[in-house]
Amino acid sequence: MSLSLARCVEAVAQLLDACGPMEPVRLVLSARDVQAEVLGSGPAARASLDRLAAISGTGTVTSPVSEALSHSMTADLDDGLVLVAGLAEPVDGAGTTDRTTSTAAAAALLRTLAPWAQGLDLDVLPAAELWVDDQGHAFTVRLLTTAGQDADLEAVVAAAGKGLDRLRTRRTDSGLDGAGRLPCGRMVQVGVVRLY
């Protein structure tokens, strides 16, 4: 099977299903790889990373970083996907205290994104990255992509926003930012960065 963002989305949803309940995970998905950060540094976060490694058929690596230890893993998934994961401290007050999200909800969210991701594959956005962030109390979804120096920014953002309702964009110093809604009502942020 050829590499695609939609295939990556489905593969990660299946992986999360197999892992069962975990601490919140911040995901960056592309057609070729998945970067995952398990939010937290305590025993529950470490157990979540160990479970992710075991389900992926690998183990974790522990490395000294300054005065602390860093735990990470790398695994080859089906269809040429590579998973790189580690632990990360929650930011912006996100965390597991009074958590209202779940790993099952994250997998379900990925499945709602799959049809939109298929459209992105068809519109040839090879540099697209889909960011899905479990903040413990809510999920945020962002699509980041690039546009070459000679590319039409409006055309790139239109391709990125295909399938989103009420897409609104604004010009920034680096390109275009926007937001729209999937048919299910989920808000998606879109960013297109101009490459110089």
Side-chain angles (χ1 to χ4, degrees):
M1 181 177 284
S2 63
L3 298 176
S4 77
L5 184 57
R7 176 63 192 121
C8 181
V9 167
E10 180 56 37
V12 175
Q14 290 174 5
L15 185 64
L16 293 179
D17 285 340
C19 286
M22 295 175 37
E23 294 298 289
V25 177
R26 182 180 303 125
L27 299 165
V28 179
L29 303 98
S30 74
R32 297 187 176 278
D33 61 28
V34 181
Q35 299 168 43
E37 295 179 323
V38 178
L39 302 181
S41 58
R46 176 66 197 274
S48 293
L49 183 65
D50 288 342
R51 190 169 331 118
L52 185 60
I55 295 295
S56 303
T58 190
T60 57
V61 174
T62 303
S63 308
V65 175
S66 61
E67 296 178 14
L69 292 177
S70 170
H71 306 283
S72 62
M73 57 149 293
T74 302
D76 292 324
L77 303 177
D78 292 340
D79 297 326
L81 284 172
V82 175
L83 168 65
V84 178
L87 300 180
E89 290 290 335
V91 293
D92 300 330
T96 58
T97 306
D98 299 326
R99 184 178 182 195
T100 57
T101 60
S102 68
T103 306
L109 170 58
L110 289 172
R111 288 192 172 91
T112 24
L113 297 173
W116 176 55
Q118 276 185 320
L120 296 172
D121 288 333
L122 293 176
D123 285 322
V124 191
L125 293 172
E129 289 185 342
L130 186 59
W131 295 43
V132 179
D133 191 359
D134 182 348
Q135 299 175 321
H137 57 74
F139 294 101
T140 59
V141 178
R142 293 182 292 166
L143 177 78
L144 300 175
T145 192
T146 57
Q149 187 173 3
D150 297 329
D152 178 356
L153 280 177
E154 298 294 337
V156 175
V157 83
K162 189 174 178 182
L164 298 180
D165 295 328
R166 294 181 283 176
L167 178 66
R168 299 188 187 278
T169 61
R170 65 181 177 82
R171 205 164 275 284
T172 66
D173 291 341
S174 60
L176 286 172
D177 283 345
R181 292 191 183 277
L182 290 166
C184 66
R186 165 80 50 196
M187 177 68 76
V188 176
Q189 298 168 353
V190 177
V192 178
V193 177
R194 166 81 75 193
L195 295 177
Y196 293 100

